[in-house]
Amino acid sequence: MANRLECVDAGTEYCPCYLAELNECIVCSQLQGKKFCDCNWRGVCIFQEFVWAGYKAKATRSTVFSKVVKREEINDEVIVLTLKVPNKMARDLNEPGSFVFIRGYLSPSFFDTPMSVMWADEVEGIIKIAVQVTGPKTKLIANAKEGQEVYIRGPYWNGMFGHRYIKGTHNSKALVVLRGIAQAPGVIVILKLIQNKNKVIVLLDKGKVKANFIKEYLEKFDITFIETDLLTEEGQRILKEFIKDKEITVVYSGGSDEQHLNILEYLDTYNSEAYLAVSNNNKICCGEGICGSCEIEIEGQKMRTCKVQVDIRKALERKMLRG
């Protein structure tokens, strides 16, 4: 029997989505072509919402013009852009795992590039994204000048797996491990943990981008953070010692799948009761669960990882075994 899947969009204003029109809904059994209700959804009935919407997708994400308010060159590898967005979009993006699609205003739609949100201010109506220049798409985005406009489509939220662990951990102790460009989405994760009155410890690694570009944010927070190189013996020793702390109840890993697996193995050995949340490193193209570029298969069940909250252990094992 297939496992029931958890869709990050379920219950939001974007549900039911296009998948419902195609009998491909992730949650609702009736919108998968079945004749009976067999879902585990506890919110307002998705099928009823579909009926009320006239058997159509309820809403689509907005594509908006966004002005580049500020452009910061961290180094040759990383550019941080501050972008003006509608206040509601900024509020929606102030959640762990948030990302948007962005492209230059003269670029065609196939230049859309998913980018994690590093910071969101709903009062000012701004977001910040960190761009690592790796190819044609990111090069065009990084070349945007102050005062120029770009296209932004969003909000999207499945940039991480383990939402429930980050949002559901209160009055406890959390370890956040960030490396390279994956530092960017870590800022909002840390903020959520702080808001939930957790004591937060952060291990920060420059990685390939050669800069701890979120350090200025961390210095403003009431947290403990340590700069280290996680690929060295010393970095591994520090990581292991923190994971051994039984007061740590949740760990967030922002980095490569190899880093996620490294931390998972330490948790299994030293602190098996702690939960693990990780950055979503799958390829994302449309963000709507339509194109299939992000699809993975676990135990014979196909999952669109731009929308589905997957079992972290099974996803990592599947990647390590199959590549």
Side-chain angles (χ1 to χ4, degrees):
M1 180 178 176
N3 293 320
R4 288 169 171 160
L5 302 181
E6 180 184 348
C7 178
V8 76
D9 286 341
T12 71
E13 63 188 279
Y14 305 106
C15 173
C17 67
Y18 289 117
L19 294 177
E21 296 183 17
L22 302 169
N23 275 347
E24 294 280 348
C25 181
I26 291 165
V27 175
C28 176
S29 57
Q30 294 185 88
L31 294 175
Q32 294 168 1
K34 297 178 182 177
K35 300 298 183 183
F36 56 90
C37 178
D38 183 30
C39 74
N40 62 341
W41 173 241
R42 295 177 179 85
V44 176
C45 175
I46 294 174
F47 181 74
Q48 186 62 62
E49 291 272 12
F50 188 62
V51 173
W52 286 336
Y55 299 89
K56 297 288 185 182
K58 186 192 262 187
T60 58
R61 261 85 176 190
S62 301
T63 298
V64 300
F65 270 127
S66 175
K67 182 176 288 187
V68 179
V69 177
K70 188 177 181 181
R71 181 179 186 276
E72 302 168 74
E73 290 192 25
I74 306 301
N75 56 28
D76 292 339
E77 293 278 337
V78 180
I79 309 294
V80 174
L81 298 179
T82 302
L83 304 167
K84 184 69 177 173
V85 297
N87 297 73
K88 181 183 181 302
M89 180 178 280
R91 182 174 67 250
D92 290 342
L93 290 169
N94 195 17
E95 291 289 339
S98 295
F99 67 95
V100 294
F101 284 87
I102 180 172
R103 73 178 192 268
Y105 76 101
L106 292 177
S107 303
S109 60
F110 52 77
F111 273 83
D112 273 354
T113 308
M115 288 283 169
S116 294
V117 176
M118 183 170 76
W119 183 268
D121 187 327
E122 62 186 84
V123 176
E124 295 292 330
I126 61 169
I127 62 171
K128 290 178 179 282
I129 63 168
V131 185
Q132 181 183 14
V133 182
T134 58
K137 290 184 177 182
T138 49
K139 187 179 292 184
L140 279 175
I141 295 167
N143 285 340
K145 307 297 182 185
E146 292 182 5
Q148 288 186 343
E149 290 185 321
V150 295
Y151 281 115
I152 285 183
R153 172 162 53 91
Y156 295 90
W157 296 292
N158 217 43
M160 67 174 287
F161 299 135
H163 275 269
R164 64 174 66 184
Y165 305 137
I166 299 300
K167 294 182 178 181
T169 301
H170 295 77
N171 302 300
S172 189
K173 198 172 182 180
L175 175 64
V176 176
V177 185
L178 304 174
R179 186 171 190 269
I181 196 64
Q183 295 174 52
V187 176
I188 293 181
V189 171
I190 293 166
L191 272 173
K192 176 60 70 174
L193 290 168
I194 292 172
Q195 288 168 3
N196 289 348
K197 296 180 170 55
N198 294 292
K199 182 179 179 181
V200 182
I201 300 163
V202 180
L203 298 185
L204 197 59
D205 184 343
K206 296 177 180 179
K208 293 181 180 179
V209 299
K210 302 171 186 175
N212 287 330
F213 58 88
I214 67 166
K215 187 176 177 180
E216 63 176 288
Y217 297 94
L218 302 188
E219 289 172 342
K220 297 175 184 177
F221 302 153
D222 184 18
I223 63 172
T224 300
F225 75 91
I226 298 169
E227 298 178 76
T228 187
D229 183 346
L230 292 167
L231 300 185
T232 64
E233 288 186 14
E234 177 64 10
Q236 287 293 297
R237 185 194 65 78
I238 293 171
L239 174 62
K240 191 185 302 183
E241 287 303 311
F242 278 117
I243 288 178
K244 284 181 178 179
D245 183 352
K246 297 297 183 180
E247 292 184 4
I248 297 285
T249 60
V250 64
V251 178
Y252 173 78
S253 173
S256 67
D257 288 336
E258 288 78 13
Q259 174 179 305
H260 300 341
L261 192 63
N262 177 207
I263 291 171
L264 181 60
E265 289 172 347
Y266 282 157
L267 286 171
D268 285 345
T269 304
Y270 302 111
N271 193 350
S272 59
E273 296 298 314
Y275 296 110
L276 176 63
V278 304
S279 55
N280 178 358
N281 298 328
N282 289 283
K283 293 178 181 177
I284 293 177
C285 183
C286 72
E288 303 288 349
I290 301 296
C291 70
S293 64
C294 66
E295 191 173 82
I296 64 172
E297 186 174 325
I298 299 176
E299 297 179 345
Q301 191 171 20
K302 293 181 179 179
M303 303 178 186
R304 301 177 182 95
T305 56
C306 66
K307 280 180 171 282
V308 175
Q309 285 285 288
V310 305
D311 182 293
I312 294 166
R313 180 183 298 277
K314 290 179 181 178
L316 288 175
E317 289 174 349
R318 175 258 181 200
K319 278 199 169 186
M320 293 304 111
L321 290 172
R322 301 189 184 183

